[in-house]
Amino acid sequence: MQDQGRSTRKRTGGRLKHARNPRKDELGREPTETQVGEPRFQTTDVRGENTKTRALATNVAQVNDGEATVAAEIENVVENDANPNYVRRNIITKGAVIETSEGTARVTSRPGQTGQVNAVLLD
C-alpha cells in the first residue's frame, strides 16, 4: 500500500506546508498477490543490504503434519479470510486454506514476502 502522507490541512482548515519530501523507505509497494500456477519469482531490494524474494506464482508448498515436512503440489485455494475474492482468483496469502496433494492445509508463511509457501496440515 502506498503511503498517502499526512493531511495537507490543519483541523482548523488552514493549509500545512511540507517540511520535506518522502524518503524512499517511507513509500510502500503494491501487494504481491501470489497465484497458484507455474512458479515465478521476483527479487526486490529493501531497506539496508537486504532483499525479498516475492513469489508471483507457485504450485509447491512445504506441508508439515506434526512429524515430518514434505513438498506437496498445490491444487487450489479453498478459503481465504483476507479476501473472499482471493478464493475465486486462487490467490495465496498467510492464513489461506489450500488443497494440496497431501490434503487440506493452512498457510503459515507470507509467500509475497518470503517467496515460499509453508503450511500445516488440517485434521
Side-chain angles (χ1 to χ4, degrees), residues 56-113:
L56 302 177
T58 186
N59 58 3
V60 178
Q62 305 300 320
V63 179
N64 187 306
D65 61 359
E67 297 173 6
T69 303
V70 294
E73 189 86 12
I74 300 173
E75 293 162 10
N76 65 341
V77 178
V78 177
E79 178 187 332
N80 197 328
D81 290 335
N83 189 339
N85 190 32
Y86 284 177
V87 177
R88 280 177 252 146
R89 292 166 55 196
N90 265 352
I91 292 177
I92 307 166
T93 59
K94 182 176 178 176
V97 178
I98 56 175
E99 188 66 42
T100 67
S101 55
E102 297 293 314
T104 307
R106 183 176 299 279
V107 179
T108 59
S109 64
R110 300 173 74 186
Q113 306 226 13

Side-chain angles (χ1 to χ4, degrees), residues 47-60:
R47 186 173 173 138
E49 294 290 321
N50 303 313
T51 59
K52 281 184 184 178
T53 303
R54 297 178 179 274
L56 302 177
T58 186
N59 58 3
V60 178

